[in-house]
Amino acid sequence: MLNGRTLRRSSLIGGALALTVGLAGCATAETGDAGSDSGESMGTITLGFIPGWTDGLSTAYLLEDQLGKLGYTVEMETLTEAAPLYIGLAGGDVDIYPSAWSEVTHASYMEEYGDDIEDLGTYYAGASLTIAVPTYTEIDSIAELAGNGDMFGGVITGIEPGAGLTALTQDTMMPTYGLDGEYELVTSSTAAMLTELGNAIDAQEDIVVTLWRPFWANAAFDIKTLEDPEGAMGGSEGLHFLGTAGFSEEHPEAAALIANIQLDDAQYGALENLVVNEYGEGQYAEAVDAWLAEYPDAFEGLLAN
């Protein structure tokens, strides 16, 4: 018998999502229900995230740990673009997006799919999108980029083409400051952008990149955020846990735990640094264990090691 969620999934996605996800390089991993005393799962929850966006990577593995301890079977669904992630979330193929910039950066996706998405809570307040240069670069404002294209080879180095940061930079920031024609926004991936940034700094060359806060790279690289006198990069926003519509009704225990997760700068920064830098790929669970040991009282209802 088809339930309402299955009907939503079929009508919204059909074969199109399967194709989109396949093209995006989707991969799935499953985690057992470590928290169930009876050995019987409370249900399966699918987390959808983009590994190259380290806020979502970090919080996905935090949720994997916590939901597993609560008794759920957790599946990890990785994608490379935001659009199929929101489509999957709205259609029920993804249960949770663990780090959504839904207020400003991804507002267009929320306008399109928000009726089939449930906000499960804000885990971090004050996130922002930025434009940055090395500290030795002799400009301090985005406005000063105009007329100085030769310093940067006429290039602004960006991240993934489908990122909200990319759209904001291309469609709002560049025309606001009169940079169209003088600069090209070159996109590929977050990892590629960081490689270009690191190489430029090692060579003491000027480079301008798209960035955001919170993000570990702001502390790891010798960079400064350019002032934005026109406010073209938008204001600050919260980072949200989003669920497919009806999630809290179907999984009330999980929703209650998630709603309590609120991290400050120190807590979030430590989590991201451990997951991305100290431990890295293949050791994400160990990174979360180390974070839980360091912050055993990070939020109400935390399930410790």
Side-chain angles (χ1 to χ4, degrees):
M1 178 178 178
L2 293 177
N3 58 28
R5 179 171 163 191
T6 303
L7 289 172
R8 284 194 301 109
R9 177 186 305 164
S10 300
S11 62
L12 181 63
I13 307 299
L17 176 63
L19 176 61
T20 304
V21 171
L23 291 174
C26 167
T28 303
E30 188 169 306
T31 301
D33 50 333
S36 176
D37 292 336
S38 64
E40 191 172 320
S41 176
M42 294 176 65
T44 299
I45 292 176
T46 301
L47 303 180
F49 63 102
I50 300 171
W53 297 358
T54 54
D55 54 317
L57 175 72
S58 303
T59 51
Y61 281 94
L62 174 61
L63 287 190
E64 180 196 42
D65 175 272
Q66 293 293 287
L67 294 175
K69 289 172 179 174
L70 201 57
Y72 288 93
T73 298
V74 181
E75 294 181 352
M76 308 292 272
E77 198 84 22
T78 62
L79 299 97
T80 59
E81 294 286 350
L85 181 49
Y86 276 90
I87 293 171
L89 187 65
D93 292 272
V94 171
D95 292 304
I96 297 174
Y97 178 10
S99 188
W101 297 61
S102 53
E103 298 173 15
V104 179
T105 309
H106 294 163
S108 61
Y109 294 123
M110 291 300 292
E111 290 173 7
E112 187 168 0
Y113 305 112
D115 288 346
D116 293 307
I117 292 174
E118 178 180 351
D119 194 333
L120 302 176
T122 303
Y123 78 85
Y124 181 89
S128 60
L129 302 179
T130 65
I131 301 296
V133 298
T135 56
Y136 52 76
T137 296
E138 295 183 355
I139 65 170
D140 297 301
S141 169
I142 300 175
E144 295 178 72
L145 290 174
N148 284 311
D150 289 347
M151 290 176 62
F152 307 98
V155 168
I156 297 172
T157 303
I159 57 171
E160 289 76 6
L165 172 57
T166 299
L168 183 68
T169 302
Q170 186 78 67
D171 301 336
T172 302
M173 186 279 282
M174 292 178 70
T176 295
Y177 287 100
L179 304 183
D180 290 330
E182 184 178 3
Y183 289 85
E184 176 188 4
L185 176 61
V186 176
T187 62
S188 56
S189 68
T190 300
M193 177 274 290
L194 293 174
T195 297
E196 290 294 321
L197 177 61
N199 289 342
I201 290 175
D202 287 344
Q204 289 290 288
E205 296 174 348
D206 294 311
I207 185 172
V208 56
V209 299
T210 62
L211 273 178
W212 60 94
R213 293 180 179 275
F215 187 34
W216 62 266
N218 290 289
F221 291 96
D222 185 20
I223 56 177
K224 60 184 175 182
T225 297
L226 293 180
E227 297 173 5
D228 180 14
E230 300 296 330
M233 297 303 292
S236 63
E237 60 182 308
L239 301 184
H240 295 248
F241 293 119
L242 297 183
T244 190
F247 178 86
S248 59
E249 182 177 351
E250 185 173 353
H251 303 293
E253 297 87 356
L257 184 148
I258 291 168
N260 284 331
I261 302 177
Q262 297 178 18
L263 306 179
D264 61 26
D265 282 329
Q267 293 165 340
Y268 173 82
L271 175 64
E272 189 178 45
N273 184 59
L274 286 165
V275 168
V276 177
N277 298 318
E278 296 295 326
Y279 285 82
E281 187 173 358
Q283 300 184 80
Y284 297 139
E286 291 84 351
V288 172
D289 285 342
W291 185 82
L292 293 171
E294 186 175 354
Y295 296 97
D297 301 314
F299 55 86
E300 184 179 349
L302 180 149
L303 301 171
N305 296 329

